[in-house]
Each structure stands twice: as C-alpha cells, then as structure tokens.
C-alpha cells in the first residue's frame, strides 16, 4: 500500500506510445537515497531521446529511517518488489514497453537490479550490474562484506540463510531459463565488492540459453566511486552503447 517515489526525466514533447527507450536506476540500501542531480551521462541519455527514471525504493532514506528499516535484513525483498512495481508503472503509463526498458545499478544498487532482473525477466529489455555483490550466501567472507550483515542479514544464521537463499542472485539463476541481455562489470582491484561476485554471476548466466551475457573486467580499477575520470567516461560510453543496441533492436522488432 505504500506510494513509491519515482523521479522521471524526459525530453519535452514526449509521446507516450510505449516506445521510448527508458532507463530505470535504483539503489535502495544502507539508508542512502538514490541520488538525483546533474549528470553528463543522464544528459547524454536524454539528448539521445531516452527517458530516465529513478526508483526511490524502500531501503534508502528518502522518507526517513523508517523507509530504510522497511527493507532491511529479513525484509530485503520489499526493495526488490518496489523496484519491479516502478517498472510496471512505467509500462502501464506507456512511457515504454518491457522490451524498451533498461535497468541499471551499481554496488548495492547492482544487487537490487540483479535480483529484480532474475525475479521478473519479463519486465526488462536489458540490464546493467556494476560492481554488484551477488553471492549473498558467502558475502561476509570477502573484502568488506562482514560490514553488510546488519543490512542484508547473516547467512551464518540458519533462519536468515533461508530468507537470503530466496533472493540471492547467484543462487536464483535458473539454468534452463532465457534472460534479457545483461552487462556485468567489475574492477579488477575492487576492494569493496570482490570481483568474484561479478565473475561467478556472469558464469552462472552464461550457462543459460540467454542471448547475451557480457562480463567487463576493468583492469587497474577499483570500486565504482574509485575509478579515474577517464575510466568513468569509458564506462558510461560502454553502458550506453550496450543499452541503445539492445533497446534499438527491441524497438525495430516491435515496430
């Protein structure tokens, strides 16, 4: 029954016919709001004719600490549902169709995207997961993972483990299912989210009939926020080329 805030940006005069390439971003964890402000990457997306949306799911702090607590620990799936609900709203309001909807998230936002992508592949045309933790059964064993136990639950606790197994991305890839195109990226020197998360997730998806599963390992790069300006620019270029290629093909098929 909650109303989920959704920031929506699009070029003037947009015709809502369900065919606009749309990018939905989310974070939804650690009591951190999904930021919206000036971004050259967002501006480039808009100038190319795209729609940009930010899902302010529970798990963030947009509506205060209660908003964070509502998707914390055993209630983590609330954030996943909020994200999917925002996607359904965009489709129902004819900003885009499922085939024309791309999703993107980094770090904990990448976890949000990976989980929604697996739970509702029918909602999305393409996905980008950057530096995302995906093995949520073993995450405390690597880098800073033990600091995330309070946020996502303790897989060492049998009761919490059963809840985590219901949504942990690595453990919910169905080998006989075809998923939309996905670009998974990580920094080879990421000391926040170990690169093995992205590599194992990509390997699991590459063992499915999915049409396109790409893994991009950025050499000499750390976590998303630690990369150089040139690395960030190249990452944006790679992600936009991937998204436009996937969504353009979908648009040609539906057109």
């Amino acid at each position: 029954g909650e109303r989920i805030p959704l920031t929506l940006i699009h070029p003037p005069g947009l015709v809502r016919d369900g065919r606009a390439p749309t990018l939905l971003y989310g974070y939804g964890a650690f009591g951190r709001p999904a930021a919206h402000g000036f971004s050259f990457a967002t501006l480039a997306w808009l100038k190319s004719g795209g729609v940009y949306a930010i899902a302010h799911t529970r798990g963030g702090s947009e509506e205060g600490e209660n908003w964070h607590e509502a998707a914390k620990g055993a209630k983590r799936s609330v954030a996943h549902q909020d994200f999917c609900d925002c996607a359904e709203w965009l489709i129902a309001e004819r900003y885009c169709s499922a085939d024309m909807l791309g999703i993107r998230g980094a770090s904990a936002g990448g976890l949000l995207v990976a989980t929604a992508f697996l739970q509702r592949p029918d909602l999305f045309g393409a996905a980008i997961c950057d530096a995302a933790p995906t093995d949520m059964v073993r995450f405390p064993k690597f880098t800073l993972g033990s600091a995330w136990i309070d946020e996502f639950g303790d897989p060492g606790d049998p009761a919490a483990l059963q809840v985590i197994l219901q949504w942990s991305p690595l453990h919910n890839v169905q080998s006989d299912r075809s998923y939309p195109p996905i670009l998974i990226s990580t920094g080879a020197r990421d000391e926040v989210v170990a690169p093995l998360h992205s590599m194992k997730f990509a390997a699991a998806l590459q063992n499915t009939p999915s049409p396109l599963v790409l893994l991009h390992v950025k050499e000499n790069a750390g976590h998303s926020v630690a990369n150089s300006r040139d690395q960030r620019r190249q990452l944006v270029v790679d992600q936009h080329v991937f998204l436009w290629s996937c969504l353009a093909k979908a648009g040609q098929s539906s057109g």
Side-chain angles (χ1 to χ4, degrees), residues 98-177:
D99 287 345
M100 299 297 286
L101 178 58
I103 51 176
R104 182 179 70 85
S107 195
L111 170 61
L112 175 70
V113 163
T115 307
F117 170 84
L118 293 174
Q119 291 179 353
R120 292 294 308 275
D122 58 301
L123 280 181
F124 312 115
I128 292 174
C129 292
D130 184 24
T134 60
D135 183 351
M136 301 310 289
V137 168
R138 300 176 183 85
F139 75 86
K141 299 180 181 294
F142 311 110
T143 59
L144 301 180
S146 60
W148 313 335
I149 288 175
D150 185 57
E151 185 70 18
F152 300 123
D154 183 2
D157 172 44
L161 175 61
Q162 292 308 307
V163 175
I164 291 170
L165 281 170
Q166 294 175 17
W167 58 265
S168 172
L170 184 63
H171 301 89
N172 282 275
V173 176
Q174 298 180 34
S175 61
D176 60 346
R177 189 166 193 175

Side-chain angles (χ1 to χ4, degrees), residues 7-28:
T7 298
L8 190 60
I9 312 169
H10 59 75
L14 176 72
V15 177
R16 284 162 57 178
D17 59 2
R19 299 183 63 182
T22 301
L23 177 56
L24 176 63
Y25 168 82
Y27 188 80

